[in-house]
Amino acid sequence: MSRLPAADERSNPELAEVFAEIKATRGFVSNALRSLGHAPGGLRHLARFGEYVKYRTDLPERLRELSILCAARGVPYAWTHHSALALQAGIAQSAIDDIGAGRPPAALPPAQQAIARFIAELFGAEFVSDAAFAEIRRHYAPRQITDIAMSATYYRALGTMVMALRVGIESPEVLQAERDWQKGRA
């Protein structure tokens, strides 16, 4: 159960406007974004950043979902959403399982393994090593590396807030609607 009461967009015109913007860009307002409705101004900015990393980066869907999935490891809410979206985007179940277990995803080609390593080190105890950065730079342009880092950090930040607020995962029907929305955008 969520630690905060639901914000009511019916009594807050600014929040209703923000939720309408979110719905227009994603098809629905997720529980994660709803949970931040008590700060509609901040939610608006966060949601716009989220729209960028989800739909406007220089990454094809498969690499975008891989980046998000690597950041979602250890965040049940994000993992539930993005493991299914990653599979839908063509990432092998064995690679998804490896990422979830914290193992290098052996089923992925080297360029995609570089993303997984980069993000694992991004959220590690130290920093991204020169070797991991050199490897990702061999495969991706500076814009793509920036988009990978921004995607991963957005989803890690959102996941951290979701866990702190104990946001509940959507119903299977809503999760299916999200996958269908994504198919329509691909």
Side-chain angles (χ1 to χ4, degrees), residues 59-71:
L59 302 171
E61 180 185 17
R62 180 184 171 99
L63 299 183
R64 188 179 61 242
E65 283 302 330
L66 174 61
S67 299
I68 294 167
L69 189 67
C70 290

Side-chain angles (χ1 to χ4, degrees), residues 28-84:
F28 73 109
V29 181
S30 68
N31 290 349
L33 294 178
R34 280 189 180 281
S35 74
L36 304 174
H38 293 286
L43 174 57
R44 173 177 273 130
H45 291 289
L46 184 72
R48 286 178 178 165
F49 182 45
E51 178 190 3
Y52 172 79
V53 300
K54 184 72 172 153
Y55 299 114
R56 301 192 189 285
T57 67
D58 192 32
L59 302 171
E61 180 185 17
R62 180 184 171 99
L63 299 183
R64 188 179 61 242
E65 283 302 330
L66 174 61
S67 299
I68 294 167
L69 189 67
C70 290
R73 188 174 99 64
V75 181
Y77 181 93
W79 189 263
T80 299
H81 282 262
H82 290 282
S83 59

Side-chain angles (χ1 to χ4, degrees), residues 134-148:
E135 182 64 16
I136 199 167
R137 191 160 187 173
R138 281 188 40 221
H139 301 285
Y140 301 101
R143 161 99 190 254
Q144 292 173 311
I145 294 167
T146 302
D147 283 340
I148 289 165

Side-chain angles (χ1 to χ4, degrees), residues 108-171:
L108 296 179
Q112 293 174 23
Q113 288 181 20
I115 290 174
R117 179 179 177 193
F118 175 78
I119 293 172
E121 290 188 14
L122 180 67
F123 299 125
E126 298 274 327
F127 50 84
V128 175
S129 67
D130 290 342
F133 197 82
E135 182 64 16
I136 199 167
R137 191 160 187 173
R138 281 188 40 221
H139 301 285
Y140 301 101
R143 161 99 190 254
Q144 292 173 311
I145 294 167
T146 302
D147 283 340
I148 289 165
M150 289 186 354
S151 296
T153 55
Y154 168 82
Y155 279 95
R156 181 57 65 100
L158 184 61
T160 300
M161 287 187 283
V162 163
M163 291 189 331
L165 300 176
R166 291 191 183 150
V167 175
I169 296 171
E170 284 79 7
S171 70

